[in-house]
Amino acid sequence: MKLKKLVVIAALFFNNQINYSCSIFAYVGSQLCKAHVLKGLSRLEYRGYDSSGFAVYDIVTNDLVVLKKPGKIAELKMAALASSCDGYAALGHTRWSTHGVSNEVNAHPHTNDDRTFALVHNGIIENHFQLREQLSKEGYTFKTETDTEVMVHLFDQELKKTDDIKKATLQTVRKLKGACTFVALHKDHPEMLIAARQRAPICIGVGEDGMHIASDFLAFADKTNQVFFMPEKSIAFIKKGAIFAYDYDGNVLPIETKTVNLQPSAYEKLDHDHFMLKEIYEQKIAIEKTVAHLHELGDKVWSQLGLTPQQARTLFSLNLFGCGTSWHAARIGQFFFEKIAKMPTSVYLASEFRYMEFFPCLDCLFMSVSQSGETADTLELIRYFKKFGARLATLTNVATSSMVRETNGHLLTKAGPEIAVASTKAFSTQLASLYWLAHRFALQRGHINMEQMAQAEKDVLHAASVLEQTIDQYKVDIIEAAKTYAQAQRIMYLGRHVTYPFAMEGALKLKEISYIFAQGYPAGELKHGSIALVDEHTPIILFSHQDPVIYQKLVGNAQEVKARGGHLLIFAFEGQDELIQLADRVYTIPRVAPLLEPLAMTGIMQFFAYQVALVLGRDIDKPRNLAKSVTVE
Ligand code: F6R
């Protein structure tokens, strides 16, 4: 086997939010692997948990055995325990449904009619409709509602034309459009797995006893730290001691492995009931690590971002983009760059902007914000911008992610792996990084001096302490209050200026884990329509601001709510007595540097959502319908 080792030792954190939201795990080697594949799949369950499935080349019957179950992976494990099948090559899948409901039929793996191979897929095949019509005309019948089934029939068709498995695989992948990463096991080649990567990530862990193939190396972190990341548009044939990889033209690709480091404790809940709670409490340390990393980077940040110091001085504008929580962080970041670095800054929602007109600007920086570095909507926007020659960078938590590979430069947050589906420490470390970067730009552009830069780092660390200290201070009260707020049908979150995008993040956090409808709204807009919703049954959560002018406006908004009999839960800052007196319930927060209000309030905002979800008995780490890494558009 030609394995070239690239010694890239990094603190790599791979996971989340997560984005092609199913997961694949497979093994081929010298060990019986049923238990190993099921364990690996459990570690990837955060990427999708609507159904799961498993296929093995069974050494007793010399045949493929396929097991599939709707629901969480525990169901599949029970079925696997009850079956005596086992073998040296197997593959598994957890699904986040895109085409077809979550039932056994639609669960992966899928097999061809002759049951000669089983296949698992991650992504969405964009031309599946046309392919389905064409294959139907050619005599194939469809038993599932999935897009994956077209891939199965296509592969079957190509395999019937030739004995050359490489040719058949290449012919199959060339016909597929969209995200079409798959792994297959063919019973005529029981010593080998077939893999293809198109858009959704897949990597191969080179172990002593065999090869581990996964959507995220977390699945095999206990077995090996030598990882081959399959390049975009490549196929591979994987055997116990060898990987043979090719591009779509059939050219041989070099197999270069990277050494990855993982912290095993990140994957344990330790003494917390949920990963989300553990991760809420990890934020102070994660922010400290992020600031220490950025401090050490110093002015090397420009080369890391793919810029010259001169470009950093003269860039016309900054354009941030992302989805969900990361988009909220970017929206808050916009205030940092405009106020501190005096840079015109725009923020785009990746899933929307792709379809809008883009007016290229060569003197601008386009920076994605993404915990996972894999979110399909954000990745696609990167690719869209790239076509216009835009200068691209990414702020991400995952050094090995596609976004790092596909942009000119990057900055890393040091949140560590985030396992809970709801993002917590990824968000706060994004805020810390954006605040730091805004100051670094300001320094480079002559708006601040080194002393102010150093002060900014201290300010972030202080806000991180406030974030943690306020959870301890208000814990008991929030646990009690959650019993009442859990009864609400809907909750409105209000903010102004930097606390408006923070209100949107507060509402998202509550919605995704408690399933209570919540909306983040600009406080000033209330009177333009939404105030009609205010009544005693719709609690309003208001995030204050330290700026005296904005604060006074918020006092006015709070009065408008009280005048209509509304219930107010207020997150206020020390000394804001007028606002505090209007509150039905209040959490008072120590003052922090201007614009760091969201960071300081993050801890109790998240803890509140967590407690409400707990009262309602929700599956907090794996909320319904969601997946950590959203790798479909
Ligand atoms: C919500 C959440 C999501 C992600 C979004 C983007 O708690 O985590 O809204 O922020 O799916 O994911 P990333 O940041 O990985 O690009």
Side-chain angles (χ1 to χ4, degrees):
M1 168 175 46
K2 285 195 201 136
L3 283 183
K4 193 167 142 204
K5 187 170 154 192
L6 266 192
V7 188
V8 181
I9 304 185
L12 298 170
F13 306 113
F14 202 70
N15 71 345
N16 191 40
Q17 256 99 81
I18 347 75
N19 273 308
Y20 292 84
S21 320
C22 302
S23 72
I24 293 174
F25 183 59
Y27 170 87
V28 57
S30 57
Q31 304 294 313
L32 289 175
C33 64
K34 177 169 74 176
H36 174 55
V37 171
L38 291 169
K39 186 172 164 200
L41 272 187
S42 305
R43 289 181 172 173
L44 298 183
E45 204 179 9
Y46 69 86
R47 297 172 70 95
Y49 33 82
D50 292 341
S51 64
S52 52
F54 163 85
V56 63
Y57 181 78
D58 181 31
I59 49 164
V60 177
T61 56
N62 288 333
D63 203 356
L64 288 176
V65 175
V66 178
L67 302 169
K68 308 203 278 190
K69 287 284 163 197
K72 300 255 164 67
I73 202 164
E75 304 293 322
L76 179 69
K77 282 184 171 166
M78 300 270 280
L81 260 179
S83 161
S84 59
C85 67
D86 211 341
Y88 300 110
L91 45 77
H93 187 267
T94 63
R95 177 165 183 250
W96 185 75
S97 317
T98 59
H99 294 72
V101 296
S102 313
N103 59 20
E104 197 163 319
V105 176
N106 289 333
H108 300 216
H110 295 288
T111 50
N112 57 339
D113 289 345
D114 305 336
R115 290 182 72 88
T116 49
F117 68 86
L119 180 148
V120 287
H121 164 220
N122 184 4
I124 292 181
I125 302 168
E126 286 171 5
N127 56 341
H128 80 99
F129 188 72
Q130 296 89 319
L131 289 170
R132 206 177 168 103
E133 282 202 326
Q134 178 196 317
L135 287 158
S136 301
K137 280 185 200 142
E138 287 163 4
Y140 280 98
T141 51
F142 285 81
K143 297 186 220 61
T144 79
E145 298 163 281
T146 67
D147 53 337
T148 306
E149 203 178 352
V150 300
M151 186 185 258
V152 172
H153 291 327
L154 268 186
F155 195 31
D156 179 77
Q157 197 174 47
E158 295 302 332
L159 283 168
K160 286 192 168 120
K161 291 184 199 159
T162 172
D163 288 340
D164 182 343
I165 196 146
K166 177 182 160 196
K167 192 170 167 198
T169 309
L170 284 172
Q171 288 293 87
T172 305
V173 294
R174 286 177 191 146
K175 289 183 184 150
L176 296 166
K177 290 199 181 123
C180 310
T181 294
F182 73 81
V183 175
L185 172 59
H186 197 293
K187 76 181 198 184
D188 293 345
H189 306 274
E191 76 303 342
M192 178 176 93
L193 289 166
I194 305 148
R197 183 204 164 160
Q198 186 167 312
R199 302 229 189 135
I202 189 106
C203 60
I204 304 171
V206 180
E208 285 190 1
D209 59 50
M211 300 290 184
H212 315 261
I213 298 99
S215 304
D216 179 342
F217 62 69
L218 153 66
F220 52 74
D222 54 337
K223 295 288 178 190
T224 178
N225 64 356
Q226 295 304 306
V227 184
F228 171 60
F229 292 90
M230 282 184 67
E232 175 61 6
K233 291 207 165 181
S234 64
I235 62 165
F237 301 95
I238 306 140
K239 298 187 171 182
K240 183 192 157 207
I243 303 168
F244 304 94
Y246 307 90
D247 64 21
Y248 276 15
D249 292 326
N251 301 312
V252 174
L253 291 173
I255 308 296
E256 294 172 339
T257 62
K258 291 187 178 185
T259 304
V260 298
N261 284 343
L262 282 168
Q263 303 161 332
S265 67
Y267 305 103
E268 308 294 337
K269 277 187 252 175
L270 303 178
D271 47 2
H272 293 283
D273 291 338
H274 294 96
F275 278 109
M276 182 174 176
L277 189 60
K278 175 173 174 255
E279 288 161 6
I280 287 173
Y281 275 111
E282 281 171 352
Q283 292 185 99
K284 180 168 175 278
I285 291 178
I287 294 167
E288 286 167 359
K289 282 188 182 162
T290 302
V291 172
H293 161 71
L294 294 170
H295 177 80
E296 206 178 313
L297 206 55
D299 56 11
K300 291 197 283 298
V301 66
W302 306 126
S303 54
Q304 173 115 356
L305 281 174
L307 297 172
T308 64
Q310 173 63 15
Q311 283 168 336
R313 246 190 308 276
T314 57
L315 269 186
F316 173 67
S317 77
L318 178 66
N319 301 269
L320 302 169
F321 54 101
C323 296
T325 291
S326 293
W327 178 67
H328 296 150
R331 290 281 309 263
I332 295 169
Q334 176 175 19
F335 291 93
F336 303 163
F337 289 98
E338 294 192 338
K339 184 84 184 162
I340 302 161
K342 319 271 180 247
M343 291 171 80
T345 305
S346 305
V347 183
Y348 310 125
L349 202 48
S351 52
E352 282 295 317
F353 196 82
R354 286 189 64 194
Y355 310 105
M356 293 170 70
E357 275 316 305
F358 176 52
F359 303 99
C361 163
L362 295 179
D363 194 19
C364 303
L365 180 65
F366 291 81
M367 187 155 98
S368 67
V369 180
S370 171
Q371 186 281 138
S372 61
E374 300 295 345
T375 302
D377 287 312
T378 311
L379 254 179
E380 287 307 318
L381 190 55
I382 287 177
R383 291 168 186 158
Y384 177 68
F385 285 149
K386 211 180 230 180
K387 285 189 196 148
F388 296 92
R391 184 179 288 124
L392 286 157
T394 189
L395 171 66
T396 181
N397 196 34
V398 184
T400 50
S401 61
S402 304
M403 286 188 206
V404 170
R405 282 195 298 276
E406 297 193 27
T407 51
N408 311 109
H410 63 272
L411 208 55
L412 292 178
T413 50
K414 296 285 172 183
E418 200 181 58
I419 307 296
V421 163
S423 193
T424 52
K425 57 183 181 162
F427 171 71
S428 50
T429 53
Q430 285 168 348
L431 291 187
S433 306
L434 292 169
Y435 188 79
W436 184 90
L437 187 61
H439 280 83
R440 203 72 219 186
F441 267 113
L443 182 66
Q444 195 68 7
R445 293 167 161 242
H447 300 303
I448 63 165
N449 57 30
M450 266 316 277
E451 213 174 299
Q452 288 164 303
M453 182 72 229
Q455 185 58 44
E457 291 177 356
K458 285 189 199 142
D459 290 342
V460 173
L461 298 180
H462 171 62
S465 303
V466 171
L467 177 161
E468 187 173 277
Q469 157 207 332
T470 44
I471 306 176
D472 289 336
Q473 186 180 349
Y474 291 115
K475 194 164 145 180
V476 175
D477 191 83
I478 292 176
I479 292 171
E480 194 48 40
K483 294 178 194 156
T484 310
Y485 292 99
Q487 311 309 317
Q489 296 296 309
R490 57 188 185 212
I491 300 188
M492 269 175 103
Y493 282 72
L494 299 181
R496 256 183 194 254
H497 188 258
V498 80
T499 65
Y500 161 45
F502 183 68
M504 292 199 280
E505 174 59 11
L508 177 64
K509 221 68 328 174
L510 185 77
K511 264 187 289 209
E512 66 182 330
I513 60 169
S514 74
Y515 319 150
I516 293 176
F517 177 77
Q519 188 177 16
Y521 214 68
E525 277 294 296
L526 204 57
K527 58 185 172 300
H528 297 295
S530 302
I531 203 161
L533 289 173
V534 173
D535 62 18
E536 66 278 21
H537 306 298
T538 308
I540 308 256
I541 299 183
L542 186 142
F543 296 114
S544 187
H545 200 295
Q546 298 172 119
D547 178 89
V549 175
I550 298 170
Y551 164 67
Q552 275 311 325
K553 297 276 184 276
L554 284 166
V555 170
N557 299 136
Q559 277 160 343
E560 289 158 14
V561 171
K562 284 316 298 172
R564 284 152 186 91
H567 172 100
L568 271 176
L569 162 58
I570 298 183
F571 291 58
F573 287 91
E574 280 172 354
Q576 297 188 322
D577 299 337
E578 205 181 337
L579 189 61
I580 290 168
Q581 276 163 23
L582 290 167
D584 294 285
R585 189 179 287 272
V586 65
Y587 300 124
T588 311
I589 298 144
R591 291 199 172 244
V592 290
L595 304 183
L596 286 178
E597 291 90 348
L599 192 59
M601 295 190 285
T602 288
I604 43 176
M605 175 274 279
Q606 295 165 345
F607 190 77
F608 172 81
Y610 172 84
Q611 289 301 335
V612 171
L614 198 65
V615 171
L616 294 169
R618 306 300 191 214
D619 192 348
I620 294 180
D621 284 338
K622 296 189 192 103
R624 70 182 180 203
N625 306 337
L626 288 174
K628 185 69 175 160
S629 192
V630 186
T631 49
V632 290
E633 289 169 66

